[in-house]
Short mmCIF file of all heavy atoms in Angstrom, two decimals:
data_model
loop_
_atom_site.label_atom_id
_atom_site.label_comp_id
_atom_site.label_asym_id
_atom_site.label_seq_id
_atom_site.Cartn_x
_atom_site.Cartn_y
_atom_site.Cartn_z
N SER A 226 -9.17 29.39 27.92
CA SER A 226 -9.60 29.18 26.53
C SER A 226 -8.48 29.57 25.57
O SER A 226 -7.54 30.28 25.94
CB SER A 226 -10.86 30.00 26.23
OG SER A 226 -10.62 31.38 26.43
N VAL A 227 -8.62 29.07 24.35
CA VAL A 227 -7.67 29.37 23.29
C VAL A 227 -8.45 29.72 22.04
O VAL A 227 -9.40 29.02 21.68
CB VAL A 227 -6.75 28.17 23.00
CG1 VAL A 227 -5.79 28.50 21.86
CG2 VAL A 227 -5.99 27.73 24.24
N VAL A 228 -8.07 30.81 21.38
CA VAL A 228 -8.63 31.17 20.09
C VAL A 228 -7.52 31.02 19.05
O VAL A 228 -6.51 31.73 19.11
CB VAL A 228 -9.19 32.61 20.07
CG1 VAL A 228 -9.69 32.96 18.67
CG2 VAL A 228 -10.30 32.76 21.09
N LEU A 229 -7.70 30.07 18.14
CA LEU A 229 -6.75 29.84 17.06
C LEU A 229 -7.25 30.60 15.85
O LEU A 229 -8.23 30.21 15.22
CB LEU A 229 -6.64 28.35 16.77
CG LEU A 229 -6.20 27.49 17.98
CD1 LEU A 229 -6.44 26.02 17.70
CD2 LEU A 229 -4.75 27.75 18.33
N GLN A 230 -6.59 31.70 15.55
CA GLN A 230 -7.03 32.59 14.48
C GLN A 230 -6.29 32.24 13.20
O GLN A 230 -5.05 32.27 13.16
CB GLN A 230 -6.74 34.05 14.86
CG GLN A 230 -7.35 35.08 13.93
CD GLN A 230 -8.84 35.25 14.16
OE1 GLN A 230 -9.30 35.23 15.29
NE2 GLN A 230 -9.58 35.40 13.08
N TYR A 231 -7.02 31.91 12.14
CA TYR A 231 -6.39 31.53 10.88
C TYR A 231 -6.22 32.77 9.99
O TYR A 231 -7.20 33.39 9.57
CB TYR A 231 -7.22 30.46 10.18
CG TYR A 231 -7.20 29.16 10.95
CD1 TYR A 231 -8.30 28.75 11.70
CD2 TYR A 231 -6.07 28.36 10.96
CE1 TYR A 231 -8.27 27.56 12.43
CE2 TYR A 231 -6.02 27.17 11.69
CZ TYR A 231 -7.12 26.79 12.42
OH TYR A 231 -7.08 25.63 13.15
N ILE A 232 -4.96 33.09 9.72
CA ILE A 232 -4.62 34.27 8.92
C ILE A 232 -3.64 33.84 7.84
O ILE A 232 -2.43 33.80 8.06
CB ILE A 232 -4.00 35.38 9.80
CG1 ILE A 232 -4.86 35.62 11.05
CG2 ILE A 232 -3.83 36.67 9.01
CD1 ILE A 232 -4.24 36.59 12.04
N PRO A 233 -4.13 33.48 6.65
CA PRO A 233 -3.25 32.95 5.61
C PRO A 233 -2.28 33.96 5.02
O PRO A 233 -1.26 33.57 4.46
CB PRO A 233 -4.24 32.43 4.55
CG PRO A 233 -5.49 33.20 4.79
CD PRO A 233 -5.56 33.45 6.25
N ASP A 234 -2.59 35.24 5.12
CA ASP A 234 -1.70 36.27 4.57
C ASP A 234 -0.66 36.65 5.62
O ASP A 234 -1.00 37.06 6.73
CB ASP A 234 -2.51 37.50 4.16
CG ASP A 234 -1.63 38.58 3.55
OD1 ASP A 234 -1.30 38.46 2.36
OD2 ASP A 234 -1.26 39.52 4.28
N PHE A 235 0.61 36.53 5.27
CA PHE A 235 1.68 36.76 6.24
C PHE A 235 1.71 38.19 6.75
O PHE A 235 1.91 38.44 7.94
CB PHE A 235 3.03 36.39 5.62
CG PHE A 235 3.17 34.93 5.30
CD1 PHE A 235 3.48 34.52 4.02
CD2 PHE A 235 2.98 33.98 6.28
CE1 PHE A 235 3.60 33.17 3.72
CE2 PHE A 235 3.10 32.62 6.00
CZ PHE A 235 3.41 32.22 4.71
N THR A 236 1.49 39.14 5.87
CA THR A 236 1.49 40.54 6.28
C THR A 236 0.33 40.83 7.22
O THR A 236 0.47 41.53 8.23
CB THR A 236 1.42 41.46 5.05
OG1 THR A 236 2.57 41.23 4.22
CG2 THR A 236 1.41 42.92 5.47
N ALA A 237 -0.82 40.27 6.90
CA ALA A 237 -1.99 40.46 7.76
C ALA A 237 -1.74 39.86 9.15
O ALA A 237 -2.20 40.40 10.16
CB ALA A 237 -3.22 39.83 7.13
N GLY A 238 -1.02 38.74 9.21
CA GLY A 238 -0.69 38.14 10.49
C GLY A 238 0.17 39.05 11.34
O GLY A 238 -0.06 39.22 12.55
N VAL A 239 1.18 39.65 10.72
CA VAL A 239 2.05 40.58 11.45
C VAL A 239 1.24 41.78 11.94
O VAL A 239 1.39 42.24 13.09
CB VAL A 239 3.22 41.04 10.56
CG1 VAL A 239 3.98 42.19 11.21
CG2 VAL A 239 4.15 39.86 10.28
N ASN A 240 0.37 42.30 11.08
CA ASN A 240 -0.45 43.45 11.48
C ASN A 240 -1.37 43.10 12.65
O ASN A 240 -1.58 43.92 13.56
CB ASN A 240 -1.28 43.93 10.29
CG ASN A 240 -0.43 44.56 9.21
OD1 ASN A 240 0.68 45.02 9.48
ND2 ASN A 240 -0.94 44.60 7.99
N ALA A 241 -1.91 41.87 12.64
CA ALA A 241 -2.79 41.45 13.74
C ALA A 241 -2.01 41.35 15.04
O ALA A 241 -2.54 41.67 16.12
CB ALA A 241 -3.43 40.11 13.40
N ALA A 242 -0.78 40.90 14.96
CA ALA A 242 0.05 40.85 16.17
C ALA A 242 0.36 42.24 16.69
O ALA A 242 0.23 42.51 17.89
CB ALA A 242 1.35 40.09 15.87
N LEU A 243 0.71 43.14 15.78
CA LEU A 243 1.10 44.49 16.19
C LEU A 243 -0.08 45.31 16.71
O LEU A 243 0.11 46.22 17.52
CB LEU A 243 1.78 45.21 15.03
CG LEU A 243 3.14 44.65 14.61
CD1 LEU A 243 3.66 45.37 13.37
CD2 LEU A 243 4.15 44.77 15.75
N ASP A 244 -1.29 45.01 16.25
CA ASP A 244 -2.44 45.80 16.73
C ASP A 244 -3.06 45.22 18.00
O ASP A 244 -4.10 45.67 18.46
CB ASP A 244 -3.50 45.97 15.63
CG ASP A 244 -4.27 44.70 15.30
OD1 ASP A 244 -4.23 43.74 16.08
OD2 ASP A 244 -4.92 44.66 14.24
N GLY A 245 -2.41 44.18 18.56
CA GLY A 245 -2.87 43.64 19.83
C GLY A 245 -3.88 42.54 19.73
O GLY A 245 -4.42 42.09 20.75
N SER A 246 -4.16 42.04 18.52
CA SER A 246 -5.17 41.00 18.35
C SER A 246 -4.66 39.60 18.70
O SER A 246 -5.46 38.68 18.88
CB SER A 246 -5.67 40.98 16.90
OG SER A 246 -6.27 42.22 16.56
N LEU A 247 -3.33 39.43 18.77
CA LEU A 247 -2.74 38.11 19.00
C LEU A 247 -1.73 38.15 20.14
O LEU A 247 -1.07 39.17 20.36
CB LEU A 247 -2.03 37.61 17.73
CG LEU A 247 -2.86 37.44 16.46
CD1 LEU A 247 -1.95 37.08 15.29
CD2 LEU A 247 -3.92 36.36 16.65
N ASP A 248 -1.62 37.02 20.84
CA ASP A 248 -0.57 36.84 21.82
C ASP A 248 0.62 36.11 21.23
O ASP A 248 1.75 36.26 21.69
CB ASP A 248 -1.09 36.04 23.02
CG ASP A 248 -2.27 36.71 23.70
OD1 ASP A 248 -2.13 37.87 24.10
OD2 ASP A 248 -3.34 36.07 23.78
N VAL A 249 0.35 35.29 20.22
CA VAL A 249 1.38 34.49 19.56
C VAL A 249 1.09 34.48 18.07
O VAL A 249 -0.07 34.31 17.66
CB VAL A 249 1.41 33.04 20.08
CG1 VAL A 249 2.45 32.22 19.33
CG2 VAL A 249 1.69 33.00 21.58
N LEU A 250 2.12 34.64 17.25
CA LEU A 250 1.98 34.48 15.80
C LEU A 250 2.97 33.42 15.36
O LEU A 250 4.19 33.56 15.55
CB LEU A 250 2.26 35.79 15.07
CG LEU A 250 2.19 35.70 13.53
CD1 LEU A 250 0.80 35.33 13.06
CD2 LEU A 250 2.66 37.01 12.88
#
Side-chain angles (χ1 to χ4, degrees):
S226 59
V227 179
V228 177
L229 302 166
Q230 189 76 40
Y231 293 104
I232 311 174
D234 181 81
F235 295 124
T236 299
V239 170
N240 291 337
L243 292 175
D244 71 16
S246 299
L247 300 174
D248 301 304
V249 177
L250 178 64

